[in-house]
Amino acid sequence: MLAAPAPQLLLDEPTNNLDLVGVLQLTSALESYEGALVIAGHDLPFLESVGITRWILLDDELRETDAEEVRELFNSSDPAPA
């Protein structure tokens, strides 16, 4: 007997073409989703809002990291004010 596959979503930059209302609707839908989520993205507030529990970083290599390091990287890449 075969087991049913676990529910899973793979999202690549899901907020790229959404306005604020769309992002909020997507966030709400994902908060109630009970399967596995794999999200590739650069929208840190969105990623944090959906409750990401494992962070994988691709810089020179693929490695697991934590939310604090991701925040530091995002903050250090912000352009300096003119």
Side-chain angles (χ1 to χ4, degrees):
M1 183 168 162
L2 298 175
Q8 51 194 313
L9 287 177
L10 175 58
L11 305 172
D12 183 12
E13 299 288 354
T15 61
N16 267 3
N17 296 308
L18 299 179
D19 61 7
L20 182 57
V21 172
V23 171
L24 293 174
Q25 289 174 336
L26 178 60
T27 300
S28 177
L30 293 177
E31 285 172 344
S32 63
Y33 182 69
E34 295 184 6
L37 288 174
V38 176
I39 303 175
H42 293 89
D43 184 345
L44 185 58
F46 168 76
L47 295 171
E48 291 181 323
S49 71
V50 296
I52 299 298
T53 58
R54 292 184 71 187
W55 297 84
I56 307 295
L57 182 63
L58 177 60
D59 44 19
D60 293 334
E61 61 187 10
L62 189 64
R63 63 185 173 85
E64 189 166 359
T65 187
D66 58 28
E68 186 58 37
E69 181 182 4
V70 172
R71 278 188 223 97
E72 289 173 12
L73 288 169
F74 271 82
N75 291 334
S76 69
S77 66
D78 286 341

